[in-house]
């Protein structure tokens, strides 16, 4: 119990909040050594073509195997890494690992008409870092894969109100053949007219849309909203990916609405790269 006010000004009013603060601080200071010691690892979640069920690639999702706290998800440490700037070397590490993984998949499944591709998330801080384009070029070259193997995911909110300086590196990457996806689309203040200004080729519909497809048939207004987004996207020559697909009913409704690719627990949870090897050989259309 907290002592009554007196000489001690450091009494704990909320021990739990304090523990959280210590953890936050502890995690933040532990980040650089964690990167050096190799405590981060990547899970891959397949991206599946809604039309034929084939695996088209995967999204790279970083995790931290913390020696005391076990496996931590990105929501626990990415904001801290962004705050301290460690996100730049960490993001570079994720990109390098992921691109090498894409190379391994291509060696295994062939470099043909529809080779497997890798999606990698980019933080806003990485966007403003001057090394982004050159680092990406170097990483692709070192791995020996063409830029079309890579899709960089940037959240819609990171590009809201983006000026030309911010868009320039993304434009250069897009010109090289790297795909740019607008992640969590529909959650920000989407200025739809702004879309044509952005060098993006994929819209990733936020999970909240997928969730509203839980019922069959889904709410008619939600159906019309998704239908509208899909038709706008296709009209602008953008592909539509849906995230968070957990049931066959969701997959089917989103397929009928014209979405192109899907990602979610219905197909596979994020996992080690070998799981994709198995999935790529499995027909998920049932
Ligand atoms: P995101 O890019 O929108 O990634 C999708 C998130 O949804 C992932 O959470 C994934 O595990 C989760 N998910 C996938 N399928 C389902 C499903 O069917 N149902 C539900 N409920 N969730 C599903 P995760 O792995 O915790 O990642 C959270 C966020 O952390 C990502 O959201 C992304 O913004 C960020 N992140 C992950 N890896 C990186 C990275 O390497 N760099 C940066 N900058 N951010 C990353
Ligand atoms: Mg993403
Ligand atoms: Mg997303
Ligand atoms: Mg999301």
């Amino acid at each position: 119990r907290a002592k009554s006010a007196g000489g001690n000004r450091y009494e704990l009013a909320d021990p739990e909040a304090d523990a959280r603060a210590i953890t936050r601080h502890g995690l933040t200071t532990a980040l650089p050594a964690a990167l050096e010691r190799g405590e981060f690892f990547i899970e891959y979640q397949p991206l599946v073509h809604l039309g034929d069920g084939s695996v088209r690639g995967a999204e790279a999702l970083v995790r931290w195997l913390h020696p005391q706290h076990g496996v931590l998800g990105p929501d626990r440490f990415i904001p801290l890494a962004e705050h301290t700037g460690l996100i730049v070397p960490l993001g570079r590490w994720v990109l390098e690992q992921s691109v090498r993984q894409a190379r391994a998949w291509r060696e295994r499944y062939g470099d043909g008409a529809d080779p497997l591709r890798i999606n990698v998330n980019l933080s806003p801080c990485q966007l403003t870092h001057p090394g982004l384009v050159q680092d990406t070029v170097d990483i692709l070259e070192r791995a020996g894969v063409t830029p079309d193997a890579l899709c960089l995911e940037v959240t819609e909110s990171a590009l809201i109100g983006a000026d030309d300086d911010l868009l320039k590196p993304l434009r250069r990457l897009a010109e090289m053949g790297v795909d740019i996806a607008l992640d969590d689309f529909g959650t920000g203040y989407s200025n739809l007219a702004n879309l044509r200004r952005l060098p993006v080729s994929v819209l990733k519909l936020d999970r909240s849309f997928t969730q509203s497809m839980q019922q069959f048939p889904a709410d008619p207004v939600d159906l019309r909203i998704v239908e509208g987004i899909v038709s706008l996207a296709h009209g602008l020559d953008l592909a539509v990916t849906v995230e968070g697909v957990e049931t066959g009913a969701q997959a089917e409704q989103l397929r009928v609405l014209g979405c192109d690719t899907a990602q979610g627990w219905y197909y596979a949870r994020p996992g080690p790269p070998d799981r994709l090897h198995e999935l790529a050989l499995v027909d998920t259309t049932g």
Side-chain angles (χ1 to χ4, degrees), residues 16-261:
E16 259 184 51
D18 198 67
R20 277 198 300 275
I22 289 168
T23 307
R24 233 182 109 83
H25 176 74
L27 290 182
T28 305
T29 51
L31 276 168
L35 184 57
E36 261 169 49
R37 281 199 292 260
E39 292 173 4
F40 294 100
F41 66 101
I42 301 174
E43 289 193 312
Y44 299 89
Q45 186 177 36
L47 283 148
V48 175
H49 188 259
L50 273 166
D52 63 13
S54 61
V55 174
R56 294 305 170 94
E59 178 174 10
L61 297 160
V62 68
R63 280 89 178 83
W64 180 2
L65 179 54
H66 190 285
Q68 278 95 47
H69 305 299
V71 175
L72 302 178
D75 292 335
R76 289 290 299 279
F77 61 85
I78 291 286
L80 309 178
E82 286 174 341
H83 191 68
T84 60
L86 194 84
I87 190 67
V88 170
L90 176 59
R92 206 187 287 127
W93 179 83
V94 171
L95 186 61
E96 176 119 48
Q97 298 302 306
S98 305
V99 163
R100 279 160 60 176
Q101 188 56 56
R103 162 72 190 238
W105 286 328
R106 284 177 172 217
E107 273 169 5
R108 177 156 176 169
Y109 295 110
D111 236 338
D114 258 331
L116 292 174
R117 314 172 69 247
I118 188 77
N119 284 37
V120 179
N121 293 286
L122 273 196
S123 281
C125 325
Q126 291 173 271
L127 273 184
T128 51
H129 187 263
L132 175 68
V133 175
Q134 195 55 51
D135 285 348
T136 307
V137 170
D138 292 346
I139 284 171
L140 287 166
E141 269 179 18
R142 272 203 296 275
V145 288
T146 47
D148 67 339
L150 177 65
C151 176
L152 293 173
E153 300 193 359
V154 184
T155 59
E156 182 188 26
S157 52
L159 294 188
I160 284 173
D163 57 14
D164 274 338
D165 280 347
L166 190 77
L167 294 178
K168 211 175 281 169
L170 284 184
R171 284 221 176 85
R172 289 205 31 213
L173 290 164
E175 280 159 17
M176 283 164 40
V178 173
D179 269 323
I180 311 292
L182 214 46
D183 205 354
D184 302 342
F185 183 78
T187 55
Y189 304 88
S190 315
N191 176 355
L192 295 178
N194 196 31
L195 265 182
R196 59 186 315 174
R197 210 170 62 84
L198 304 177
V200 299
S201 46
V202 181
L203 288 191
K204 277 192 95 166
L205 263 195
D206 190 66
R207 191 156 63 86
S208 49
F209 294 101
T210 310
Q211 276 168 335
S212 62
M213 301 295 132
Q214 191 75 267
Q215 306 300 319
F216 186 85
D219 181 281
V221 175
D222 288 334
L223 285 173
R224 239 170 272 151
I225 291 172
V226 174
E227 204 171 40
I229 292 176
V230 170
S231 106
L232 172 84
H234 287 170
L236 292 170
D237 232 2
L238 308 176
V240 178
T241 299
V242 288
E243 46 179 36
V245 175
E246 295 178 359
T247 68
Q250 290 172 331
E252 179 56 13
Q253 298 196 83
L254 290 160
R255 184 189 68 78
V256 169
L257 287 166
C259 299
D260 302 291
T261 38

Side-chain angles (χ1 to χ4, degrees), residues 6-11:
N8 185 1
R9 307 197 300 132
Y10 298 100
E11 56 200 2

